[in-house]
Amino acid sequence: MEWYFRNDQPIYTQLTQQITLAILSGSIPSGGRLPTVRELAAENPNTVQRALAELEGTGLLHTQRTAGRFVTEDLSVIQSAKEELARGRTREYLSSMAQLGYSRQQVKALLDTWEEE
């Protein structure tokens, strides 16, 4: 996996987000094994460990003793996380459009127009 980091957030948070997106998009499939911490960490294994522990807390990952970490096979957990992320991004989008002076009806009209293009 290649990582892309910005300076505006802690690295473990960005790792958590990037791994979550890989799981939710299917790049890392349900039941799939994650690379080891050593394989994932170029410089700081503690940061990777923290991100993976956080993902275990959400239920997206689980550890099998001596076998490694795996993506949950519970598709309802994945779907719930996907919907939660989509709601958050939708709220952010609507908020930014409101700052530009658009109402929800105007945003919907824009989306409908773009869909037709």
Side-chain angles (χ1 to χ4, degrees):
M1 296 183 91
E2 280 196 45
W3 308 114
Y4 302 98
F5 298 115
R6 301 177 317 272
N7 292 327
D8 63 341
Q9 285 182 318
I11 291 176
Y12 86 91
T13 302
Q14 294 178 65
L15 283 170
T16 302
Q17 292 168 348
Q18 290 180 38
I19 294 169
T20 298
L21 284 175
I23 293 169
L24 299 183
S25 70
S27 295
I28 304 174
S30 173
R33 184 178 179 281
L34 257 63
T36 66
V37 171
R38 283 187 183 158
E39 292 169 339
L40 290 172
E43 295 177 21
N44 191 341
N46 291 335
T47 300
V48 173
Q49 185 68 32
R50 184 175 179 185
L52 295 177
E54 190 168 307
L55 287 168
E56 281 191 46
T58 68
L60 286 173
L61 297 181
H62 62 90
T63 300
Q64 289 184 0
R65 191 173 163 97
T66 71
R69 283 191 175 88
F70 294 83
V71 175
T72 183
E73 292 183 19
D74 186 344
L75 297 180
S76 67
V77 170
I78 293 172
Q79 185 61 35
S80 176
K82 189 182 266 190
E83 289 172 6
E84 183 179 329
L85 182 60
R87 279 191 299 275
R89 287 189 173 183
T90 300
R91 277 191 296 274
E92 289 173 14
Y93 173 71
L94 290 174
S95 176
S96 67
M97 294 302 285
Q99 289 175 346
L100 290 173
Y102 283 91
S103 69
R104 285 188 183 224
Q105 292 77 17
Q106 290 171 318
V107 171
K108 184 179 181 321
L110 279 174
L111 292 172
D112 290 341
T113 301
W114 292 333
E115 188 177 274
E116 293 171 5
E117 292 177 359

